[in-house]
C-alpha cells in the first residue's frame, strides 16, 4: 500500500457479522515529499509532518539520492511533528553513509534523540548556515 493512496481495510458489519470493506483516506501531508534545495555546496532537505514506517519512503529516497550526489547533506527537522523508530533508523543509516547534519530538530524529535541516545552520535546544529559551514 502506498502512502498517498486510499486504503481499503475490513471491519465487521454490525448487522450480518460478515467482513465489510471500509474506505480509509490518508492525509496528503502524511508521507509527502520533503522540500529540497542546494545551499553553499550542501543539499538541504526540509522535512515536515509525520514520519513512521508507512510514511518514511519519500524522506528515505531524498536522503539516499542526496548522499550519492553531495558530500554534505543537511536535514531541517524543525517542522517534523511526529517521528518514530523508522525515522530514527533512517537518520542513523544516513549518518553512517555520508555527512549528515540535523538542523533545529522539533521538540518531539529532540525527545526521541534524547531517549535513544543518538543525540550524542548525530551532528545536530541550530541553523542551516551553521550546518553548511561546519
Amino acid at each position: 500500500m502506498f502512502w498517498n493512496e486510499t486504503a481499503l481495510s475490513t471491519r465487521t458489519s454490525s448487522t450480518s457479522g460478515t467482513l465489510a470493506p471500509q474506505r480509509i483516506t490518508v492525509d496528503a501531508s502524511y508521507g509527502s515529499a520533503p522540500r529540497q534545495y542546494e545551499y553553499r555546496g550542501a543539499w538541504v532537505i526540509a522535512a515536515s509532518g509525520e514520519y513512521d514506517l508507512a510514511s518514511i519512503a519519500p524522506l528515505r529516497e531524498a536522503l539516499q539520492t542526496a548522499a550519492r550526489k553531495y558530500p554534505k547533506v543537511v536535514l531541517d527537522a524543525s517542522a517534523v511533528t511526529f517521528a518514530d523508530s523508522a525515522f530514527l533508523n533512517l537518520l542513523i543509516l544516513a549518518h553512517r553513509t555520508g555527512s549528515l547534519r540535523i538542523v533545529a530538530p522539533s521538540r518531539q524529535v529532540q525527545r526521541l534523540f534524547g531517549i535513544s541516545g543518538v543525540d550524542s552520535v548525530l551532528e545536530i546544529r541550530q541553523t542551516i548556515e551553521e550546518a553548511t559551514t561546519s
Side-chain angles (χ1 to χ4, degrees):
M1 177 176 78
F2 295 100
W3 57 89
N4 61 353
E5 295 179 336
T6 301
L8 185 64
S9 70
T10 57
R11 64 179 169 88
T12 305
S13 169
S14 60
T15 56
S16 67
T18 61
L19 293 178
Q22 174 186 6
R23 292 200 84 63
I24 300 171
T25 58
V26 179
D27 180 5
S29 67
Y30 181 75
S32 59
R35 205 177 76 234
Q36 302 178 58
Y37 57 94
E38 186 175 357
Y39 182 75
R40 295 189 171 192
W43 193 249
V44 178
I45 300 171
S48 63
E50 301 177 358
Y51 291 96
D52 60 18
L53 188 59
S55 65
I56 201 75
L59 182 58
R60 180 179 54 242
E61 291 170 19
L63 285 169
Q64 288 172 344
T65 300
R68 285 192 298 267
K69 294 180 179 180
Y70 291 86
K72 192 180 294 183
V73 178
V74 175
L75 176 66
D76 179 350
S78 61
V80 175
T81 57
F82 174 81
D84 69 0
S85 61
F87 179 80
L88 192 60
N89 187 50
L90 175 62
L91 297 186
I92 292 167
L93 290 173
H95 173 73
R96 288 182 180 171
T97 61
S99 180
L100 176 69
R101 286 158 174 81
I102 313 297
V103 171
S106 65
R107 234 184 202 177
Q108 198 278 333
V109 172
Q110 287 177 19
R111 182 169 179 197
L112 180 64
F113 288 174
I115 290 170
S116 64
V118 299
D119 53 351
S120 63
V121 175
L122 297 174
E123 292 188 47
I124 301 170
R125 304 290 187 258
Q126 294 303 314
T127 66
I128 293 172
E129 181 76 25
E130 181 185 344
T132 57
T133 59
S134 63

